[in-house]
Amino acid sequence: MRSLEDVVLKKWSAAVLAGALAVGALAGCGGDDGDGGGGGGDKLVMGFSQVGAESGWRTANTKSIQESAAAAGIELKFSDAQGKQENQIKAIRSFIAQRVDVIAFSPVVESGWDPVLKEAKDANIPVILTDRSVDSTDKTLYKTFIGSDFVLEGQKAGLWLTKEYEGKPGPVNIVELQGSPGAAPANDRKAGFAEVIKKDPKFKVIASQTGQFTRTDGKEVMEAFLKTYPDIDVLYAHNDDMGLGAIEAIEAAGKKPGTDIKIVTVDAVKDGMTALSQGKINFIVECSPLLGPQLMDLAKKVKAGEQVETRVLTEETTFNKEQATAALPTRKY
Ligand code: GZL
């Protein structure tokens, strides 16, 4: 009988291998000579709809996309949806009207995309999903999805917690700061974490509420949790930013983050890694925002009519205090 750890770690290593193979497959396809555009040297035009600017991760992701487009000689039409699906749908329709070569976007929520994706397909404009996916059953509506395995990220956070409390009595009272409602990372990080901790009844999620992936909301919700629950042992935050906001609330309540309340988060942005190196966060599951270079490679191949992997997994790891301290000096984001 394989242990849960074996299952999670096996899936993790398979994901990393798939990611490496995918990158290898892309690189091995006789990459572009960087003159921009897939065909006779004309500049490839990409329409990109971004979720918003809600977190440090998002800022780093936008930077990666913008810098990679410039480096690849791709003309980028960039739209910030400010967290609203209707703005993304409007932007995609505008890209269709402008006859861009490729449309890429990070869906703010999983559902409600089929109609506009069908419009792009009918206009013969290929679509690439980045960062987050959609729940469309029609897989012909997009060419590929490049992003993380959010369920695995939740499982990694749960696995760390089970190890942290191995052999210790319960109950272990957990509060959870969820990402924005309906977002794939929020749904999947919650599911992956729950799947792991349900194996031991001492772990109890006593409260779970959205903090919208932002520091401000994370702080406000944690303030409410602290007022309601005097005996919180652990905070699981779906991203560093909510964890950092919660740290402010925990300290204001006279408690020590990382000691009185253990904290596990996801992303591994610089501010989160700094808090981890200071012992205010205990463990971070990495979710890389640096999708730009692979996205531009995929766009050129898609425009050139080449076959691409339908799923490109980003490679990522986890960090404890010592690993964060070592990684910080060279951290790109
Ligand atoms: C994950 C990304 C999430 C980050 C948050 O790929 O969609 O959105 O974890 C960000 O920080 O707001």
Side-chain angles (χ1 to χ4, degrees), residues 12 32 46 61 80 94 106 139 231 261 270 273 310 333:
W12 182 1
D32 189 82
M46 173 188 285
N61 180 245
D80 176 335
S94 168
S106 171
K139 301 304 179 194
D231 50 356
I261 295 177
K270 200 164 279 183
M273 294 281 270
T310 54
Y333 61 93

Side-chain angles (χ1 to χ4, degrees), residues 79-159:
S79 161
D80 176 335
Q82 295 170 342
K84 293 185 172 64
Q85 181 175 29
E86 64 263 27
N87 290 345
Q88 290 198 293
I89 291 171
K90 274 187 210 139
I92 291 170
R93 288 196 166 119
S94 168
F95 297 147
I96 293 169
Q98 296 175 67
R99 299 293 316 149
V100 299
D101 295 304
V102 179
I103 292 171
F105 75 116
S106 171
V108 63
V109 291
E110 285 189 282
S111 306
W113 299 101
D114 284 27
V116 74
L117 293 181
K118 283 196 178 80
E119 291 169 33
K121 184 180 176 184
D122 293 346
N124 201 25
I125 298 177
V127 173
I128 295 174
L129 303 182
T130 78
D131 165 28
R132 301 179 182 179
S133 189
V134 299
D135 61 8
S136 299
T137 52
D138 182 354
K139 301 304 179 194
T140 68
L141 293 177
Y142 54 90
K143 289 293 181 188
T144 183
F145 163 43
I146 172 172
S148 304
D149 180 338
F150 302 128
V151 173
L152 183 57
E153 291 172 347
Q155 290 169 333
K156 290 177 189 176
L159 200 59

Side-chain angles (χ1 to χ4, degrees), residues 54-55 57-58 131-132 150 185 189 213 238-239 267 287:
E54 73 283 359
S55 64
W57 190 98
R58 189 65 54 197
D131 165 28
R132 301 179 182 179
F150 302 128
R189 285 171 185 166
F213 280 132
H238 290 185
N239 80 335
D267 275 353
C287 175

